[in-house]
Amino acid sequence: MKIIQRYRRAILAPVSIVILLCGCTDLVSSRSPRFAEHPKNDTDFVSVDCERVKPFFESKNITILVDRKQATAEDIAKTTCNGMCCNRDTEEQLRHQARADFHDLIHHHSRSLQGLLATTADALRETVTMLARQSENKTLTLFDQVYRTMAVSSRPSIKALYQAMVDYVSPSNTPDSLQQPLTRDMLQERFIEFFAKLFPIAYHGAVNPRQYEQDFTEKFKTCLYETMEQIQPFGDIPIQVSKSVSKSLEATRVLVQALTLGKTVLDRTDSVLFSGTSPQQEACYAALLRMTYCPRCKGIGPSVRPCSGFCTNVMRGCLTQPASELDLAWSGYVETVERLVVAVDGRNDPLGLNAERAVRQLDTRISDAIMHAMTDGPALEEKVSIQTDS
């Protein structure tokens, strides 16, 4: 399906990023798990200027020490940062701030991935809806131009059939709870129902219109409707069409639901995985404090950033445990989605999962069914006669 080619990068881009995030466990474990840190006894009591970093802390609503007399060497030795501008109470506030900053960063990137998954799912739904509406218009035009005597009577059934196809990939049928009000078997029944309702109309308007100038009685219509399975006026076409369209739409529905489920999983895990107070997480928050706020406690302005190696080691340490918990499950999810994308987007479509091909051919297949009944007219009338006489 062309829509898959168009949005394939949107599907796999967030997935690739999460693979990188969740697949970094081996990389992290191959190095020292300890967080890098600055030396603790490098405070220069002479050159430290707390006034220089005061605006930075005020922007965080945190009060720092600006008078050197407020901090003694003994007090500073008890702190994590060993900086003249922060006491232990200040550092505790900064620790919470570093934790909040980290959570916000994780949440921001998670939201971006969730947005891509959600918009891709919506785009797939919209594409199927567009294809169904285009095919519906072609079918209605076909009846208006070719099967004119059947056009008015068949219109409600045609609209109901295509609406069922749209409903099949709608949000109500692809929730993250994995519930499915409209099942594949039910969709197939809608197709069989359509052809069953089409049979009396086609028999009257196309098979032998001269013999039946007046409309059938309701009793006769009901008889034709109820005996379609035995008479088989359209041959195997109703079964073939119901299976091919429902199979391809089911593949698309599963893909849409998988993307929706992935969004929900990300939404829940980014808060759960980083909400605990394990020793690993406490070490992470301490390292974040040293990396982001300790330089400010030493009077170093915000224009000076931590070196990339230090930052990388801290991030590795903070993400090791959450990544290990997510890695296997998320990698399996990604692999499954990728296989489904390839199957739905198959150019040769050996599995018959391409919804675009199946939906676009539907008007032709309906016409083929009517032509089959017309070609088999005499034999069909004999079958009808046998059924009505029995």
Side-chain angles (χ1 to χ4, degrees):
M1 192 161 54
K2 292 180 180 179
I3 184 64
I4 300 297
Q5 297 174 358
R6 180 181 176 185
Y7 289 95
R8 194 164 188 170
R9 290 186 180 180
I11 296 172
L12 298 182
V15 165
S16 300
I17 294 173
V18 177
I19 289 176
L20 181 61
L21 177 65
C22 299
C24 66
T25 308
D26 294 336
L27 179 62
V28 175
S29 61
S30 66
R31 302 196 176 199
S32 173
R34 294 182 301 173
F35 295 102
E37 60 179 79
H38 292 299
K40 292 188 175 182
N41 298 315
D42 62 346
T43 304
D44 187 343
F45 291 95
V46 178
S47 61
V48 172
D49 182 5
C50 296
E51 287 287 354
R52 181 169 52 187
V53 294
K54 183 179 179 181
F56 173 81
F57 284 104
E58 287 179 342
S59 68
K60 305 288 184 181
N61 293 321
I62 295 176
T63 303
I64 62 170
L65 305 175
V66 294
D67 187 352
R68 295 176 187 174
K69 296 180 180 180
Q70 292 180 277
T72 65
E74 183 179 353
D75 292 334
I76 294 173
K78 296 178 181 179
T79 63
T80 300
C81 297
N82 297 120
M84 285 190 62
C85 304
C86 304
N87 57 23
R88 295 183 67 179
D89 291 337
T90 304
E91 282 191 354
E92 189 61 28
Q93 295 181 64
L94 293 174
R95 188 189 303 272
H96 287 292
Q97 184 64 49
R99 176 178 179 174
D101 293 342
F102 179 66
H103 287 183
D104 289 344
L105 182 64
I106 293 294
H107 192 62
H108 168 73
H109 287 289
S110 175
R111 283 291 184 187
S112 298
L113 300 183
Q114 292 174 46
L116 283 170
L117 291 172
T119 54
T120 302
D122 290 340
L124 286 170
R125 286 194 192 97
E126 291 171 2
T127 299
V128 171
T129 300
M130 178 191 69
L131 290 171
R133 295 310 181 197
Q134 289 177 348
S135 181
E136 178 183 0
N137 290 335
K138 288 173 62 179
T139 303
L140 292 172
T141 301
L142 171 71
F143 275 76
D144 288 338
Q145 295 180 352
V146 180
Y147 307 112
R148 295 178 181 176
T149 58
M150 303 164 53
V152 175
S153 301
S154 59
R155 193 177 188 88
S157 297
I158 293 173
K159 285 187 166 294
L161 176 64
Y162 281 99
Q163 186 59 49
M165 294 165 58
V166 172
D167 292 341
Y168 197 69
V169 294
S170 66
S172 62
N173 209 47
T174 55
D176 55 20
S177 63
L178 300 183
Q179 299 298 315
Q180 187 182 355
L182 181 59
T183 65
R184 180 177 171 182
D185 289 341
M186 293 169 65
L187 182 62
Q188 289 185 9
E189 290 174 2
R190 300 288 180 88
F191 276 90
I192 300 302
E193 176 79 4
F194 166 76
F195 283 104
K197 290 182 177 180
L198 181 63
F199 177 31
I201 300 173
Y203 189 71
H204 179 272
V207 175
N208 199 340
R210 295 181 180 178
Q211 181 177 346
Y212 304 103
E213 295 181 0
Q214 300 296 324
D215 194 9
F216 295 146
T217 63
E218 290 301 321
K219 182 178 180 181
F220 189 64
K221 289 180 182 179
T222 302
C223 178
L224 293 177
Y225 171 81
E226 293 177 347
T227 57
M228 191 200 76
E229 185 176 353
Q230 291 78 26
I231 297 176
Q232 292 188 323
F234 306 120
D236 295 331
I237 294 177
I239 298 296
Q240 294 172 359
V241 170
S242 65
K243 288 184 176 180
S244 64
V245 177
S246 63
K247 182 180 181 180
S248 62
L249 287 181
E250 172 66 6
T252 302
R253 189 199 67 80
V254 170
L255 178 56
V256 170
Q257 194 164 42
L259 295 171
T260 304
L261 181 61
K263 171 187 175 298
T264 301
V265 169
L266 285 176
D267 183 42
R268 294 176 181 174
T269 54
D270 75 342
S271 57
V272 173
L273 290 177
F274 299 98
S275 61
T277 56
S278 66
Q280 174 77 12
Q281 288 172 315
E282 289 301 322
C284 164
Y285 303 141
L288 289 170
L289 170 66
R290 289 193 293 271
M291 181 180 72
T292 56
Y293 292 116
C294 278
R296 313 298 166 252
C297 289
K298 297 178 181 181
I300 301 174
S303 60
V304 179
R305 297 180 178 275
C307 64
S308 60
F310 182 31
C311 180
T312 300
N313 283 340
V314 170
M315 288 298 101
R316 282 173 176 161
C318 286
L319 295 174
T320 298
Q321 182 179 356
S324 64
E325 294 179 10
L326 277 177
D327 187 30
L328 183 61
W330 188 262
S331 296
Y333 164 80
V334 171
E335 183 180 350
T336 301
V337 170
E338 285 182 322
R339 286 203 303 264
L340 188 55
V341 168
V342 172
V344 171
D345 190 33
R347 294 182 180 275
N348 298 324
D349 198 25
L351 300 177
L353 300 180
N354 190 294
E356 181 178 15
R357 182 178 290 107
V359 174
R360 286 190 185 280
Q361 294 176 349
L362 188 51
D363 63 309
T364 302
R365 298 296 286 154
I366 292 174
S367 181
D368 290 343
I370 297 174
M371 293 300 296
H372 182 279
M374 294 173 63
T375 303
D376 199 33
L380 183 58
E381 287 197 72
E382 184 177 348
K383 291 180 181 179
V384 170
S385 178
I386 294 174
Q387 289 294 329
T388 54
D389 292 340
S390 60

